[in-house]
Amino acid sequence: MSDASSGSSEAGPDHEHEHHEHEGPGYATPQAAIEEGDRENLAYVMSLYVGTDVDASDFVAVVDLDPDSETYCEIVDRIEMPEKGDELHHFGWNACSSSCHMEGLERRHLIVPGQRSSRIHVIDTKDRRNPELVEVIEPEEVFEHDLSAPHTVHCVPDGEIMISMLGDADGELPGGFLQLNDDFEIEGRWDPPGEIEMNYDYWYQPRQNVMVSSEWAAPKTYYPGFDLDDVEAGNYGRKLHFWDWEAGTVEQTIDLGEEGLIPLEVRFLHTPESTHGFVGAALSSNVFHFWEDDGEYRAEKVIDFESREHPDWDMPVPALPTDILISMDDRYLFGSNWLHGDIWMYDVSDPSNPRRADSLSIGGTFGEIQEVQGRELAAGPQMIQLSLDGERLYWTTSLFSSWDDQFYPEEAERGSVMLKADVDPRNGTLELDEEFLVDWGELPEGPARAHEIRWPDGDCTSDVWQ
């Protein structure tokens, strides 16, 4: 059984976090997030013009998700970046449930990096429907710490912010981690230089004093697009790194081998006592389960998506599971197969033996449904986000501008969409909501791409518990 379902605790004897007084942002426990969280009525969505013919700045879209609203399914506001070409990609909050013991902190500011520019923006969401850009950290300030290409943003328990960085100042390896203070000033590197070569996503479990990070490649490798020669040359990652969270040093590295090529999104279970988690290996089309056993972390492939033949391809088409997330109750693992066009959910009550619950075949290279409300889908499901109660799953369709142009060039001409499925957690089923469509192809400046999604009150890919 999972730690979540068994209620087992691996915490130390002095652990009292479950009973601490809730004073700061977020929720005291994952179960409190499920029970106390409101329905998501707004979404913030990373939106970009990089790689299109539109000469405009990237922006954060505010999407109305209130079914009772007159502007339901519409982009009701856009926070435009001051410069062009940032490639907005992933973003996060200044504070989340990991800081719920910190009196005075608010989950109010979005930290919005540019993947290509290394420029870091700070957006104040005090007015949720009309946020405003309030701070910009210029790339030169980032390069001073020999880092570039910011990716995953997590708040850390004491109100600071940590960002995984995929390259050095020249876009080569090694990457590392950049730390901001609660005034949004760069404090410096979180890690000693040289602890890792490649970097990508990360997640931490403070109660277990562990952080796990994954690998993509050097920015100069993936910026131009995907090249099979880079795979042959070993330029893509296949390792997981387990860190001492307090010391900021790598304690163990697991090489996932050929079946673990490009381990991208990495998630611990939400239960803070747990040491179980999952990572999707995009290029190998697998999902690995990792867990701690007698002081050592182990990893094992538990889900395998087979490649499929297609007449327009010279090789079997890999599924490319580019995003995964875990429901707040730790029961289901959701994911997207960008090339195959699948949205899937597995029951991970026993994380060593995931059981396929359901899937949707939509968009992508093989999707059975290729249009919604008459809108043709130009790409497969990509970034996903789940409601706190686990009953609504949303997704967008852009991966990375140069990779979009390579595999789905029509995405630049038609723009991305945001779609939704209704989830029945009791029976483990997905059903496409055919009434829901947000279209980035109808914007005044021209079609835009859409990537990561966040809710104002926290979500399944940004909240961590102490």
Side-chain angles (χ1 to χ4, degrees):
M1 294 181 68
S2 72
D3 292 342
S5 58
S6 68
S8 65
S9 173
E10 300 165 19
D14 60 345
H15 166 66
E16 296 179 349
H17 289 286
E18 282 193 4
H19 309 293
H20 73 251
E21 187 176 352
H22 179 195
E23 299 173 327
Y27 307 93
T29 65
Q31 186 62 33
I34 296 170
E35 296 175 357
E36 299 169 11
D38 294 329
R39 180 190 169 111
E40 65 292 347
N41 284 329
L42 284 177
Y44 300 123
V45 184
M46 295 292 253
S47 308
L48 58 149
Y49 280 112
V50 174
T52 72
D53 292 332
V54 179
D55 185 27
S57 300
D58 297 351
F59 61 94
V60 176
V62 182
V63 177
D64 188 341
L65 299 181
D66 181 357
D68 298 324
S69 168
E70 293 182 354
T71 53
Y72 181 50
C73 292
E74 293 182 13
I75 297 172
V76 295
D77 193 25
R78 293 184 295 163
I79 306 94
E80 296 180 359
M81 300 301 110
E83 303 290 340
K84 297 174 184 173
D86 285 310
E87 180 116 26
L88 301 188
H89 192 63
H90 285 219
F91 63 146
W93 289 101
N94 67 306
C96 71
S97 294
S98 73
S99 305
C100 71
H101 61 295
M102 292 287 292
E103 186 176 3
L105 269 182
E106 288 183 82
R107 190 205 307 267
R108 172 170 159 176
H109 291 90
L110 284 169
I111 313 304
V112 182
Q115 232 291 314
R116 286 184 190 267
S117 68
S118 299
R119 187 173 290 106
I120 300 171
H121 313 84
V122 181
I123 292 175
D124 186 346
T125 68
K126 182 178 181 181
D127 182 343
R128 290 184 168 189
R129 287 179 71 95
N130 299 283
E132 62 175 333
L133 180 68
V134 293
E135 295 273 353
V136 177
I137 299 173
E138 295 296 339
E140 292 74 19
E141 299 175 65
V142 175
F143 299 155
E144 286 179 8
H145 302 274
D146 201 19
L147 292 169
S148 68
H151 191 271
T152 298
V153 178
H154 276 300
C155 60
V156 297
D158 293 335
E160 298 183 330
I161 299 142
M162 196 164 90
I163 307 173
S164 63
M165 309 292 291
L166 275 55
D168 66 12
D170 297 320
E172 301 283 6
L173 299 177
F177 294 88
L178 188 71
Q179 194 157 11
L180 311 183
N181 63 26
D182 55 7
D183 288 325
F184 313 119
E185 300 165 333
I186 294 178
E187 280 209 333
R189 294 184 67 123
W190 174 78
D191 56 320
E195 280 288 289
I196 54 172
E197 282 289 304
M198 296 182 193
N199 202 5
Y200 182 71
D201 193 26
Y202 78 100
W203 195 285
Y204 64 98
Q205 286 286 58
R207 201 175 293 186
Q208 298 292 341
N209 191 34
V210 64
M211 184 183 91
V212 58
S213 65
S214 58
E215 296 186 335
W216 189 3
K220 285 190 173 177
T221 298
Y222 65 80
Y223 276 176
F226 177 73
D227 188 335
L228 271 176
D229 289 342
D230 284 321
V231 180
E232 297 291 333
N235 292 336
Y236 283 110
R238 60 184 208 181
K239 298 176 182 175
L240 292 180
H241 306 281
F242 294 89
W243 300 68
D244 183 310
W245 172 241
E246 292 184 357
T249 54
V250 175
E251 296 296 306
Q252 186 184 351
T253 292
I254 297 179
D255 187 337
L256 301 175
E258 294 296 322
E259 293 197 303
L261 278 169
I262 314 186
L264 294 181
E265 313 308 327
V266 60
R267 321 288 189 199
F268 271 115
L269 294 188
H270 298 287
T271 305
E273 295 90 349
S274 180
T275 62
H276 292 268
F278 297 91
V279 61
L283 191 58
S284 300
S285 297
N286 298 319
V287 176
F288 280 76
H289 165 225
F290 58 84
W291 72 100
E292 188 268 339
D293 180 21
D294 198 23
E296 292 286 320
Y297 273 87
R298 305 182 188 281
E300 180 181 50
K301 184 183 71 174
V302 289
I303 300 174
D304 190 352
F305 299 102
E306 292 188 4
S307 298
R308 299 176 64 178
E309 299 288 342
H310 190 282
D312 296 336
W313 279 61
D314 296 330
M315 55 179 283
V317 182
L320 213 72
T322 45
D323 194 15
I324 62 171
L325 66 75
I326 299 171
S327 60
M328 198 59 78
D329 63 1
D330 287 336
R331 180 176 177 187
Y332 290 110
L333 178 72
F334 292 85
S336 60
N337 290 345
W338 190 57
L339 287 182
H340 281 189
D342 299 328
I343 285 284
W344 46 263
M345 63 185 291
Y346 277 72
D347 187 329
V348 291
S349 299
D350 177 357
S352 299
N353 296 287
R355 180 183 61 81
R356 182 184 175 280
D358 202 2
S359 63
L360 275 175
S361 177
I362 182 166
T365 309
F366 298 97
E368 293 173 1
I369 300 172
Q370 288 289 345
E371 65 175 40
V372 175
Q373 296 183 30
R375 167 56 151 98
E376 191 170 342
L377 307 176
Q382 216 283 111
M383 293 309 294
I384 58 178
Q385 191 53 265
L386 184 69
S387 60
L388 291 174
D389 62 9
E391 296 185 1
R392 293 166 299 282
L393 182 72
Y394 302 78
W395 64 91
T396 56
T397 52
S398 171
L399 173 62
F400 193 71
S401 62
S402 50
W403 292 45
D404 290 349
D405 289 343
Q406 196 168 355
F407 293 100
Y408 294 115
E410 291 183 351
E411 182 84 346
E413 301 167 6
R414 297 181 181 174
S416 295
V417 295
M418 181 174 171
L419 300 173
K420 166 178 169 278
D422 292 318
V423 183
D424 181 345
R426 184 181 179 88
N427 294 305
T429 59
L430 291 165
E431 182 179 4
L432 180 68
D433 180 353
E434 298 191 32
E435 301 300 316
F436 184 94
L437 171 72
V438 186
D439 194 348
W440 271 254
E442 303 294 334
L443 299 174
E445 294 84 356
R449 309 177 195 274
H451 194 66
E452 194 171 44
I453 305 166
R454 297 242 169 268
W455 315 137
D457 291 315
D459 49 56
C460 296
T461 58
S462 62
D463 270 74
V464 173
W465 277 267
Q466 276 229 64

